[in-house]
């Protein structure tokens, strides 16, 4: 962001009366919102859903309140989360393991640098409840603070921190109980 561009909280305030301010928010945050969508629906669906998010944001502009961090991302991720839910309701269920919870496992695999433990890490994420997985991924992948993740999920910052701690403990326990595979490089 250049010095002459307003911060997110000013853009959000301006957005209420000037819907064209969504353009600057789009330029600033479209890549992050697209990654958020792609991890949950796949890259092809994310391309289509990205526009839906910003149309919904423009429609909801009179109800926007900036997060205390000043970032527009918690608000945009909250809208994106609702768009993903609507998209998944419209989509026919597909069978698979772990049970189809609409997790984009290809994105999980791409993100992991511990290729040798990929299956263990997938099982650890699958061991979490959807709510625990949501907060963990918002913090770990999307770089939000627990308070910002709570805002996206519609819960308090304290509830998000508690849920994150529980998710980390459960994921670690799943990793610790998984049989270790020795990787030979010879």
């Amino acid at each position: 962001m250049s010095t002459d561009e307003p911060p997110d909280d000013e853009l959000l305030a301006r957005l209420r009366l000037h819907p064209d301010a969504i353009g600057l928010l789009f330029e600033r945050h479209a890549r992050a919102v697209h990654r958020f969508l792609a991890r949950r629906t796949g890259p092809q669906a994310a391309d289509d859903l990205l526009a839906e998010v910003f149309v919904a944001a423009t429609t909801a502009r009179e109800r926007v309140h900036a997060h205390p961090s000043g970032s527009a991302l918690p608000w945009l991720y909250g809208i994106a989360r609702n768009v993903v839910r609507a998209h998944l309701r419209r989509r026919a269920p597909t069978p698979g393991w772990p049970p189809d919870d609409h997790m984009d496992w290809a994105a999980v695999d791409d993100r992991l640098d511990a290729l040798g433990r990929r299956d263990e890490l997938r099982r650890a994420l699958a061991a979490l409840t959807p709510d625990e997985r949501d907060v963990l991924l918002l913090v770990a992948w999307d770089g939000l603070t627990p308070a910002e993740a709570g805002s996206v999920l519609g819960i308090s910052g304290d509830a998000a921190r508690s849920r994150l701690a529980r998710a980390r403990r459960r994921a670690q326990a799943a990793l610790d109980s998984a049989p270790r595979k020795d990787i030979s490089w010879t």
Side-chain angles (χ1 to χ4, degrees):
M1 175 171 58
S2 72
T3 56
D4 60 333
E5 292 179 355
D8 283 1
D9 54 354
E10 286 181 27
L11 276 176
L12 293 175
R14 185 184 304 170
L15 186 60
R16 291 180 183 191
L17 297 175
H18 304 284
D20 57 320
I22 199 74
L24 190 51
L25 284 172
F26 181 87
E27 290 174 18
R28 194 174 288 170
H29 298 298
R31 287 182 51 161
V33 173
H34 186 273
R35 285 190 306 269
F36 177 94
L37 295 165
R39 283 192 293 273
R40 289 155 178 83
T41 64
Q44 190 171 22
D47 292 344
D48 297 330
L49 297 176
L50 183 62
E52 256 184 78
V53 169
F54 282 90
V55 167
T58 303
T59 303
R61 71 184 185 275
E62 292 180 10
R63 297 184 310 273
V64 66
H65 295 286
H67 187 270
S69 69
S71 174
L73 276 175
W75 179 63
L76 291 170
Y77 285 159
I79 292 170
R81 186 170 183 251
N82 291 335
V83 167
V84 166
R85 284 180 172 169
H87 167 75
L88 296 176
R89 280 192 301 269
R90 293 187 303 261
R91 193 175 81 170
T94 55
W97 184 89
D100 186 13
D101 57 5
H102 310 297
M103 171 63 75
D104 182 4
W105 290 110
V108 172
D109 293 344
D110 290 344
R111 182 72 182 210
L112 299 175
D113 60 4
L115 186 60
R117 296 190 74 190
R118 178 179 54 209
D119 291 338
E120 296 167 55
L121 292 168
R122 287 177 64 165
R123 278 192 288 278
L125 286 173
L128 303 176
T129 67
D131 289 339
E132 291 168 342
R133 191 169 35 251
D134 281 346
V135 75
L136 181 68
L137 295 179
L138 283 167
V139 171
W141 273 354
D142 298 311
L144 297 182
T145 66
E148 290 171 332
S151 180
V152 171
L153 300 172
I155 59 176
S156 71
D158 288 339
R161 280 185 284 284
S162 174
R163 192 177 288 176
L164 177 62
R166 190 171 49 252
R168 286 176 171 159
R169 279 193 308 273
R170 288 183 56 176
Q172 188 62 55
L175 285 173
D176 291 345
S177 68
R180 299 288 300 241
K181 294 180 186 175
D182 291 328
I183 300 172
S184 172
W185 298 101
T186 59

